[in-house]
Amino acid sequence: MSMKACTSCKRISTKERCPLCNNPTSTNWSGLLLIVDPENSDIANELHIELPGEYALRVR
């Protein structure tokens, strides 16, 4: 199974559509970001990530 990233929220999953926002996903992504505690994370704050999980830094 290939990992795919949402073209909108950048959340990584294996689905054709994002389980969070239902937008299409892409296999063309780079950079893996793991958010464990979004409330206390400066990076999550900067990227407007509110839920823990795996995210791509760039999605095309």
Side-chain angles (χ1 to χ4, degrees):
M1 257 189 238
S2 66
M3 300 301 285
K4 299 177 181 183
C6 176
T7 55
S8 179
C9 72
K10 299 183 180 180
R11 177 94 177 211
I12 294 177
S13 71
T14 56
K15 313 259 188 220
E16 291 295 320
R17 298 196 73 74
C18 178
L20 292 180
C21 62
N22 204 32
N23 284 320
T25 58
S26 171
T27 55
N28 190 3
W29 61 274
S30 63
L32 179 62
L33 178 63
L34 300 173
I35 299 296
V36 178
D37 185 7
E39 293 176 2
N40 296 316
S41 169
D42 291 336
I43 294 173
N45 228 359
E46 184 75 24
L47 298 175
H48 308 289
I49 296 173
E50 298 176 354
L51 297 173
E54 298 177 338
Y55 294 86
L57 293 178
R58 175 179 282 174
V59 181
R60 293 189 177 152

